[in-house]
Amino acid sequence: MMKAMLLSSAAAGVFLCAVPAMAQSDAQPAQAAIDDQGLEEIIVTAQRVQESSQRAPLALDVVNPAELLRQNVVRAEDLSRTSPALAASGGGGPTTVFFVRGVGNATVNAYSDPAIAFNYDGVYIGRPSSTSGMFYDLQRVEVLKGPQGTLYGRNATGGAINVIPNRPKLGETSGQVTLGYGNYNWLTGQAALNLPVGENAAVRVAGMMSNRDGFLSDGTGKQREYAFRGQFYVEASDALTLRLGVDYAHQGGNGATGFYLGAVNPNFGPTGFTGYSFVPTGFDRNQGLLDPRSNALLGGRFVGQVGRTGPVVDGRPYNDNNYWGITAELNYVTEAGTLTVQPAYREGKLDYAFNGVFRGGAVKETDKQTSVEARWAGNMGPAVDYLIGGMYFDEDIDVPFAYYNQSTLTPYQNFTTATESWAGFGKLTVRPVEKLSLTAAGRYTSDKKRFDGLSQVYILFCGNPAPPQDFCPTLPFTPIAGSAAELESFYTSRGIPVTPVPLYVLPPVAGGSQTAPFVLRSPIAINAGLKNEKFTYRLAAQYDFTPRNMVYASFETGYHAGGFSFARGVESYEPETIKAYTIGSKNRFLGNRLQVNVEGFIWKYKNQQYSQFGYDLGNPPSTVFLTRNIGDSTIQGIDLDVEFLATRNTLLSANVQYLDTKYDSFVYYAPNQGLPPNTTCAFAPTTQTTPGGSTLSVFKVDCSGKRAFNSPDWSFNLDAQQTIPLGAYKLMLQAGTRYRGASDSSADYLPYLRSEATFVSNASVTLASADDRWFASVYVFNIEDNQRLLGGTTNSAGLISASAEQPRTWGVRVGGKF
């Protein structure tokens, strides 16, 4: 029923847009005379060719440089402010997690892949940890909503993000600079310089920096970032052009630790276990985990696994991450078509530490990727356009050291992983009659992956006594140790055995009958490879009522490659696939002053991948971060984009999205360690077989029918801008608000972990010269100071470590150009 309603609503929207379009078709010549007073025409390359965004038959949001500046977009996660369809958050380290319309993946380690393709200057970025230092001197950012498997490849089931920098301009000497200062000692700067080199060449250099104090009371969340980009462009002949680009970025400072949302306590009555209760801490969302008040709360919590109180968070977070890349773009134009070749190499060296749910964690990592894409675009007369191409992608990741200290369980990991991917793609558009376009596109992808590594998991064991017993006073929590050998030495020097075999019964300690504690060393070794092959395709139709009004419909498939996890019994996971149905309309009315775009969509996912903290099939099970295939889902909704130039100086805009999502099947397993899982999903006891052949008692948790993650029912952005001419100057007043409905991000679907519905508003006042040569602004962001919950995880002491959006910020900006 809902599917039919959505399709009917979308079709009705398309029809309502089409009727005035047909009525005004004869009036287009008269309207052309006032184009200079109308809405801006935005050129995009979302389909690998240059075209107007209003002529591209697909759903996309285009974010211009002014909006990026206004929304304080410094890091990739800041993009979530610009599009209702996009949810993005940063982890404790450099990684950004993207979701589009409820589709994404928590890719917080080097052996999982995102479901949203991130492309910088036409180059696919394989690691979501390598998206820093890119948001300056840009033409635009394109957010493509829905699967882009045909033109963007294997990891674009949810969509794609294209970050497109300004290119060198021939014959032009120009420059621009912007400086800003705000609360939290937030100092920002951007600059760019374009210089001609003779008549046929030019160079462009640009840079940025962002320094601020941390938002949290423990000083974490500090930014220390800077970046540089240089480009050289030459027109070697009328037919041949070449562009070379190099970029470098440094990410310093530290990640935010988070805050304690509350405590989860098991309750017992005369008949035994009666359920779980949640007790809020009452802490401010800016009170970090390293704050003495937070550690005092943590230190008083009883941890049954070690039989006593006293855990602490003392690992200090930091970022020392460096990224650089080089790319070339060659275009050769002939009468038959245009050849484009783009080779690229990128490298990231990461050294960072973080907290969150951990006492402390750290990673040292080197990422290297090489890619080349070649495309040929041409036509066979006025009625047929085509595009053919191929892509090669090679990625090598080396992680010699990583640890994740959870106070009672600590894995030490080292591994290498490699990916090699080949793809061939093509697109054919035919116009059998005037105004009608039919498109067929396809892509074949072959992926090979290799994973070789060892995870040494150390688990403290003390017999799980009930509080308030102080059962194991001699068993310390796992310390912050620089290596597995150092951790083992810490325990053995205190007479505590470290053993690969569970020692549930040990000889009595001297002078008593108490059983001695031990540390279980549980190695997980993976040396494996996998190969995935998939053909994805797109079928679309477009009908142009007028040059400014069209309708379109499409069917598209997508594919997200499988991979590996450091987890016994669930070491690998399968690819996920999607089928997407779309109907939409794009329109300009009222002499190019009113834009109305509407889209209805239905997505059907199979074998959907999901990454989270969970348990493997070891004996005993280990808490690990793993990716698994959870089942199928249906995501459907309507997207409305309206922009209205009410007067020459008054611009109003609204971007509204409604989502209806459901996991058709969503099943995972939790170990049965005496207490049931803390979840609102249905569960039942069952068994699973471990890799060693033994039987493991578990709970089967069934969340089928629940909403998809990060998918609020309603989301919208509303903005208004008024320009007041003042002779040689102008005053610009801007105000806007962003609303996101309530949504879930945890597989437990606990009400206190739900992100609450929030409004976040902003405003600015700008004085500028009439010719835009200089400006000065004052701004405030998040006027309400609403810090929306971004999710949380329960630690070994039963406290929920959570994160939230940025608090209110304000400041001034000045800038100029020549």
Side-chain angles (χ1 to χ4, degrees), residues 264-343:
V264 178
N265 302 312
N267 299 318
F268 299 89
T271 59
F273 177 74
T274 59
Y276 293 96
S277 61
F278 171 73
V279 181
T281 61
F283 289 171
D284 188 278
R285 293 188 176 184
N286 293 324
Q287 182 176 311
L289 303 187
L290 293 170
D291 188 294
R293 295 167 294 177
S294 299
N295 258 324
L297 173 68
L298 176 64
R301 298 287 296 178
F302 181 87
V303 181
Q305 193 167 332
V306 295
R308 61 185 179 84
T309 59
V312 67
V313 173
D314 53 0
R316 301 299 306 188
Y318 67 85
N319 290 318
D320 186 9
N321 306 316
N322 297 278
Y323 315 90
W324 70 276
I326 184 170
T327 187
E329 181 182 352
L330 179 147
N331 287 281
Y332 184 66
V333 181
T334 71
E335 292 184 358
T338 299
L339 173 67
T340 300
V341 181
Q342 186 169 13

Side-chain angles (χ1 to χ4, degrees), residues 69-70 178-181 731-732 734 763-768 774-780 810-815:
L69 184 66
R70 186 171 66 83
T178 300
L179 294 173
Y181 182 78
L731 187 67
M732 291 177 286
Q734 179 280 328
S764 65
V765 178
T766 302
L767 179 66
W774 60 264
F775 74 89
S777 295
V778 294
Y779 70 88
V780 58
W810 50 264
V812 297
R813 298 190 193 98
V814 295

